[in-house]
Amino acid sequence: MTTPPESSSSAVHPYGSWPSPISAAAVSAASPRLEGARFVGIDGAELWWGESVPEERGRSAVRRRTASGVVEDVLPAPWSARSRVHEYGGGSWTADDDGTLFFVEKTDQRVWRLDPGSSPCALTPDDGDVRYGGLRLQHGRLLAVREDLTGASPARDIVQIPVTPPEEGTRMRPVSVAAGSDFVAHPALSPDGGHLAWIAWDHPDMPWDSAQLRIGRIQDGVVVDWTTAPVGAVAAGGRHSPLQPVWTSPEELVFADDPSGRWNLWRLRLDDVQAQPISPADADTGGPLWVLGTRWFAVLDDGRIVAVRTDGSDQLVVIGTDGSTRPLPVDPVTRLSVEDARGSRVLLSGAGAAGPGLWELDVDDAGAARAVVGGATPWGGEWMPRARAVTFPGPHGPVHAFDYPPTHPHVTGPADERPPYVVFVHGGPTDHVGGAASGKIAYFTSRGIGVLDVNYGGSTGYGREYRERLLGRWGVVDVDDVVAAARGLAESGAADGGRLAVAGGSAGGWTVLCALTTTDVFGAGISRYGVADLRRLAADTHDFESRYLDGMVGPLPAAEALYIERSPLSHLDRLRTPLLIEQGLEDHVVPPSQSEAVRDALAANGVPHAYLAFEGEGHGFRAAETQVRTLEAEWAFLGRVFGFDTPGVPSLILA
């Protein structure tokens, strides 16, 4: 399970030092970060997509593939289509069938219009810290989520933005269509323009805790009254989390909701007393609403529905008008999003066996989906490890994970040696990893380092009960589950229990720091912009997550003692494990002060460590040079700590 089969042509090298053609630069170039896609043109002949360009310091370009197959930029440099609503953005661009692009410019967060052959022109005024995202062009109207941070407290509403620029000397403002809650998302206009559906929720809930699907009647361009969509019997104390309303007629809409504990599809007519389930399944069509543009299903013109179903990994199905389902052959098995549909064609983004990409699929064609962007590697599929779904017993219940063993077509490790492993801890913490290797995973596994990607309790993709295992116990359940998975893998003989590392970013970095201050399982840690102090996080973080900790730990000030006790910053005297810290200096989610406090404590304790800080980077690294530097530094760090050579990368000096 852990090494390639022995053969006469296999060379033997120590684990961790295997020669590999997969460079950090190649990983950065072959890992497109896609941000929305759609068909453009009357017949949908052109495919447009958003893509982060690492070699341009993470600029978010909008690109297209023309009917003749030529790929070119629609949005030229230095323009960058990136929203900062909720800090995580999403829905930063859309387009009409005439080839006009509407986008949120990263630098000013205003909405701009770009006509073919012209320069961009602003559609929204320069009002200071006002942001737009979740753009939706529907029936000739441009709708968006507006986030106004100029007042004493943040305000959000759904607005209609004029699609033509104001005349010279005039000032045209967006019209507020719907408000009345702390947060809004997924605006959907009925085909006749008579109703608006949207998702709303309020502090202290996150959208996956409890939300509402609101349906309002529009009069003179604004919602004059609204009701909450009724669903079936609701479990979990009346809490459910609807997502993504889509109108199928002026009187009917389809949406995702989880009253049973699983996100499934529902159909509602405006005169219905209760919504009706559509082909229920023990899997999720839905997920955490971190990004405004994510879409889990699309309704085809003939009424069929193409939907993602997640139970560990993702599957794509087409649901017939009679409720029957048929799986569709696609490569992506995680992060799968149904971006757009036109006729029987759909655009899909996600990650598969060869990494992230964008695919086009004809539902009525028996063939496989066709890759538009990505979906292949420059180093060959034989270098990509195959995911193995594993489950380990833990103190709070089963722990789900994916194992990626060292993989090399020509090299194996010594027979008397077990490989080192890095345990990956995803962020969120309400998030999910599926069974698809990334370029980053292959960078490690091709060098003889295994990767265990853990969906600890609190992760999505396994239903609400598994997701809510973390409520009130963040810093306990996640740590216990990650430790249980690491120990279980070592006890199985797949990994060297003396050479286990743990790595994660943001909330995953929190789990790394908690694990290193409360257990002795790991011999090394890598924290990327990790949370170290819960009180500081609650005080400093942005509004979207400002009450997140109410559910994950407890409300302040009543739970202050618990915040202090759980925080790694309170126990840095216990931190004796070598640690690599990576931090963006423009991070507004987890400010640099948290990583700097950990660095200072490591120095005071005399613990080997390195601190890498990056100008211009926020919460997540987008620039190619940053991605290359961090990946090479992580391998060099593991080599220094675990005692193997790391040729070809800059040495890492530990303080």
Side-chain angles (χ1 to χ4, degrees):
M1 177 194 69
T2 60
T3 62
E6 295 276 1
S7 72
S8 58
S9 60
S10 293
V12 177
H13 287 273
Y15 286 110
S17 298
W18 293 358
S20 171
I22 305 177
S23 68
V27 170
S28 176
S31 303
R33 183 169 181 165
L34 302 177
E35 301 182 8
R38 63 162 295 154
F39 295 105
V40 174
I42 299 301
D43 56 357
E46 292 192 353
L47 306 182
W48 290 29
W49 65 91
E51 181 177 353
S52 180
V53 187
E55 59 268 26
E56 297 181 28
R57 295 203 59 79
R59 180 180 79 89
S60 296
V62 178
R63 292 174 166 165
R64 69 178 173 187
R65 193 192 69 193
T66 66
S68 61
V70 176
V71 174
E72 58 190 16
D73 277 359
V74 177
L75 186 65
W79 297 91
S80 182
R82 185 179 174 192
S83 168
R84 285 189 57 201
V85 172
H86 302 165
E87 294 297 336
Y88 300 104
S92 60
W93 69 274
T94 188
D96 66 19
D97 280 333
D98 294 327
T100 297
L101 174 70
F102 302 90
F103 69 97
V104 179
E105 162 56 30
K106 174 187 174 181
T107 57
D108 61 14
Q109 291 298 289
R110 299 164 72 188
V111 178
W112 294 70
R113 172 183 174 133
L114 176 60
D115 291 288
S118 301
S119 298
C121 55
L123 298 179
T124 57
D126 184 1
D127 286 333
D129 200 358
V130 176
R131 307 170 179 182
Y132 297 88
L135 300 187
R136 296 285 291 163
L137 188 63
Q138 303 172 84
H139 316 299
R141 302 185 192 181
L142 181 59
L143 300 178
V145 174
R146 177 172 61 182
E147 182 176 62
D148 187 344
L149 303 179
T150 62
S153 59
R156 297 170 188 86
D157 58 353
I158 293 169
V159 297
Q160 180 175 334
I161 297 170
V163 296
T164 57
E167 296 180 3
E168 188 174 352
T170 64
R171 185 178 175 87
M172 188 180 297
R173 289 186 172 276
V175 175
S176 181
V177 179
S181 60
D182 290 333
F183 300 94
V184 292
H186 284 161
L189 186 67
S190 65
D192 63 357
H195 290 84
L196 181 75
W198 72 99
I199 304 299
W201 68 98
D202 293 299
H203 282 312
D205 288 318
M206 299 300 285
W208 48 83
D209 294 327
S210 183
Q212 294 179 339
L213 169 56
R214 294 180 177 178
I215 303 172
R217 182 171 59 88
I218 295 179
Q219 181 177 308
D220 297 328
V222 301
V223 170
V224 292
D225 57 67
W226 58 266
T227 59
T228 301
V231 293
V234 177
R239 295 160 66 83
H240 60 109
S241 303
L243 294 165
Q244 194 191 331
V246 174
W247 293 90
T248 56
S249 76
E251 297 83 26
E252 182 181 273
L253 72 162
V254 172
F255 60 97
D257 204 350
D258 68 338
S260 68
R262 283 285 204 178
W263 275 299
N264 281 182
L265 295 178
W266 296 76
R267 190 186 312 275
L268 176 70
R269 292 186 59 83
L270 293 183
D271 56 359
D272 282 348
V273 175
Q274 183 171 294
Q276 301 300 315
I278 302 173
S279 187
D282 189 18
D284 287 315
T285 298
L289 192 57
W290 286 107
V291 177
L292 289 176
T294 307
R295 306 188 71 78
W296 293 272
F297 68 93
V299 182
L300 304 182
D301 294 343
D302 60 8
R304 292 178 295 169
I305 301 173
V306 177
V308 179
R309 284 183 170 174
T310 305
D311 187 30
S313 292
D314 295 344
Q315 181 187 45
L316 192 71
V317 301
V318 58
I319 303 173
T321 55
D322 60 354
S324 60
T325 62
R326 173 170 60 91
L328 296 171
V330 296
D331 285 342
V333 294
T334 187
R335 306 291 181 188
L336 186 54
S337 178
V338 185
E339 301 286 359
D340 197 13
R342 184 72 66 94
S344 61
R345 299 157 61 208
V346 292
L347 277 177
L348 312 165
S349 65
L358 177 70
W359 289 263
E360 180 185 6
L361 173 69
D362 191 321
V363 173
D364 293 330
D365 188 338
R370 180 165 57 98
V372 178
V373 180
T377 67
W379 48 77
E382 68 272 18
W383 294 90
M384 299 298 285
R386 298 289 181 181
R388 183 176 71 101
V390 291
T391 302
F392 302 97
H396 311 284
V399 183
H400 303 296
F402 292 95
D403 174 28
Y404 300 92
T407 300
H408 197 296
H410 311 299
V411 172
T412 188
D416 59 350
E417 183 182 345
R418 295 291 87 193
Y421 257 76
V422 183
V423 179
F424 279 9
V425 188
H426 67 68
T430 310
D431 204 351
H432 175 77
V433 293
S438 63
K440 178 168 186 173
I441 288 175
Y443 181 85
F444 288 110
T445 58
S446 66
R447 288 167 166 78
I449 303 169
V451 173
L452 183 67
D453 218 353
V454 181
N455 279 316
Y456 50 86
S459 302
T460 57
Y462 302 95
R464 180 178 282 266
E465 183 178 353
Y466 195 82
R467 185 167 84 241
E468 293 190 341
R469 183 190 290 180
L470 201 58
L471 290 182
R473 297 188 289 178
W474 190 33
V476 177
V477 168
D478 50 321
V479 174
D480 289 347
D481 284 0
V482 167
V483 167
R487 281 177 170 159
L489 191 73
E491 290 169 359
S492 74
D496 182 347
R499 292 189 294 172
L500 296 174
V502 60
S506 188
W510 152 270
T511 303
V512 168
L513 297 175
C514 287
L516 297 186
T517 54
T518 59
T519 78
D520 59 0
V521 173
F522 300 103
I526 300 170
S527 172
R528 307 179 200 97
Y529 36 88
V531 177
D533 184 347
L534 289 178
R535 288 184 301 169
R536 191 174 298 180
L537 177 66
D540 293 346
T541 198
H542 56 121
D543 186 57
F544 176 64
E545 294 184 75
S546 63
R547 301 292 300 277
Y548 195 9
L549 299 183
D550 284 29
M552 305 305 293
V553 183
L556 288 171
E560 184 173 13
L562 194 56
Y563 279 54
I564 296 171
E565 173 58 30
R566 294 267 182 89
S567 293
L569 201 63
S570 301
H571 308 292
L572 290 180
D573 58 312
R574 306 176 188 168
L575 189 52
R576 303 295 174 183
T577 303
L579 184 66
L580 171 62
I581 307 169
E582 301 165 344
Q583 177 70 46
L585 295 179
E586 294 184 11
D587 192 335
H588 300 290
V589 179
V590 180
S593 59
Q594 300 226 10
S595 290
E596 292 164 359
V598 175
R599 175 203 61 192
D600 295 344
L602 288 164
N605 293 348
V607 178
H609 68 280
Y611 176 69
L612 304 180
F614 300 97
E615 294 281 356
E617 294 285 11
H619 200 66
F621 301 146
R622 289 175 174 256
E625 56 265 36
T626 306
Q627 295 173 356
V628 170
R629 175 63 177 137
T630 54
L631 195 49
E632 291 181 343
E634 289 171 15
W635 183 37
F637 171 73
L638 294 175
R640 285 289 305 274
V641 176
F642 290 150
F644 53 77
D645 294 331
T646 57
V649 300
S651 60
L652 187 69
I653 299 174
L654 302 184

